[in-house]
Amino acid sequence: MTTLAEARALDAADGLAPLRARFVRPERLIYLDGNSLGMLPAASVAASADMVARQWGERLIRSWNEGWIEAPARIGALVAPLIGAAADEVIVCDSTSVNLFKAIVAGLREAGRRDPKRTVVVSEAGNFHTDLHIAAGAVGCVPGAELRIVPREGLAEALGDDTALLLLTHVHYKSGARFDMAEWTARAQTAGALMLWDLSHSAGAVAVDLNRAGADLAVGCGYKYLNGGPGAPAFLYVAKRWQGGLGNPLSGWMGHAAPFDFTDDYAPADGMTRWLTGTPPMLALDGLESGLALWRGIDMPAVEAKSAALFDILLAAGRRAGLDCVTPLDPAARGSHISFRHAEAYGVVQALIARDIVGDFRAPDVARFGLTPLTLSHEEVWQAGEALAEVVAEREWDRPEYRMRSAVT
Ligand SMILES: *Cc1c(COP(=O)(O)O)cnc(C)c1O
């Protein structure tokens, strides 16, 4: 168990602590939801004012030639070091859902071209639901394709000579459990399938090395650990070896080799540009660029070490409260959040929010707390742990106002 003095000592020795001042910090708020919507970087405020007032307001359409048109590739290159990719293997565009669609259809078509028997997308039961919904929609767009959703224990066995693509979320959104990326990539590829990773809860949370694992495709979220702002564009990774062969099923003019030739025929651009579809959302991209600026030069092992220390503080408090931790205790087997099971988890989270301690609830019975090392201090997490223990011990969750479900949990 950590004491307040120990938490303060950890803060005093924390090399990441100065980064906290680079975020807008609402008074008294202890924010444990940076895994869902990252905090606002202070520099984003001025950057977006410049984007709106000068780049849009004054420069208007000239801005496309003053840095806008390169933005998806330029910002993709900022994501690359965080996921173990080369700068020209990542582009930012669309949402994670849309990028999943593009990657799944492209992967299915490629697998089918090489071997018409390969028609199946395998994914995990209980994966983040949009991944499964998008996969269901994507197989519906490819004749003969099907989606097979299997429990984690059955995944290895589900891979076979009909598998086109294995789609896994690297860090599970609810439990926080992390797949071994190299091991599962090798499994998929040994079975003859392509490997598509969803890194939504991994990028900026744990050290990721797509190239070392030999992954084929990956997508991930810009508004969680990367602090890109609500609905920030997502990222898409296509390994260099696939860039010439795979095609974007949402073939739009921004992915064309010469969009301003206005030709009737579609000719894909080289490299990652072909994965663009429509006009880049510049206001949103600007927020993502500001968020990623904070990640420049950050040492991921230091981030992981701080995450583990924050985890231990909250774990001890949760145990004191008698809560069941559903997140793996081995740091290498999890991401950067901690989840507890409680029959009244919704009320527990609401009672904490009433104390300005913001986590979230994941149905049916999980209270989830994001441990974002760039924005949190050990002392804040210690305070959150004390409050959690009190809320549970004093049954503070058992109030009618904490049972009213909002649309977003
Ligand atoms: C957050 C998250 C998404 C989000 O998808 P959007 O298209 O941005 O809504 C997708 N997949 C996983 C695993 C996530 O955690």
Side-chain angles (χ1 to χ4, degrees), residues 22 70 87 135 210 222 229 240 269 278 303 348 351 353:
R22 295 178 65 186
E70 298 88 10
L210 287 168
K240 198 87 80 83
V303 170
V348 170
I353 292 173

Side-chain angles (χ1 to χ4, degrees), residues 201-277:
H201 280 278
S202 308
V206 297
V208 175
D209 201 335
L210 287 168
N211 279 346
R212 195 159 60 177
D216 301 295
L217 299 159
V219 299
C221 206
Y223 51 79
K224 291 173 177 161
Y225 293 88
L226 304 183
N227 307 110
F235 62 85
L236 171 68
Y237 159 91
V238 178
K240 198 87 80 83
R241 64 184 176 283
W242 291 119
Q243 288 184 7
L246 265 59
N248 179 359
L250 296 178
S251 46
W253 73 308
M254 282 292 150
H256 194 281
F260 289 89
D261 282 358
F262 296 94
T263 57
D264 289 353
D265 295 333
Y266 179 77
D270 288 337
M272 290 305 293
T273 305
R274 72 176 54 175
W275 298 94
L276 298 180
T277 296

Side-chain angles (χ1 to χ4, degrees), residues 95-97 128 130-131 169 198 200-201 221 223-224:
S95 61
T96 303
S97 299
F128 191 72
T130 206
D131 296 54
T169 295
D198 186 332
S200 291
H201 280 278
C221 206
Y223 51 79
K224 291 173 177 161

Side-chain angles (χ1 to χ4, degrees), residues 72-137:
R74 180 177 71 239
I75 302 169
L78 298 177
V79 176
L82 294 170
I83 58 173
D88 59 357
E89 289 178 311
V90 188
I91 198 148
V92 294
C93 54
D94 304 313
S95 61
T96 303
S97 299
V98 172
N99 286 328
L100 277 166
F101 178 85
K102 294 187 290 192
I104 295 168
V105 171
L108 273 169
R109 287 181 177 163
E110 173 61 25
R113 246 193 313 275
R114 286 187 290 153
D115 178 354
K117 284 197 311 298
R118 293 197 179 270
T119 54
V120 178
V121 176
V122 174
S123 196
E124 186 194 3
N127 191 353
F128 191 72
H129 45 346
T130 206
D131 296 54
L132 300 178
H133 302 336
I134 290 286

Side-chain angles (χ1 to χ4, degrees), residues 20 50 54 88 102 104 114 167 188 211 225 230-231 268 287 294 298 300 306 317 360 369 390 397:
R20 285 168 30 79
D50 176 76
R54 187 183 63 82
D88 59 357
K102 294 187 290 192
I104 295 168
R114 286 187 290 153
L167 162 62
N211 279 346
Y225 293 88
L294 287 171
I298 298 283
M300 280 315 290
K306 181 169 173 182
D360 61 25
F369 304 100
E390 270 173 39
W397 46 264

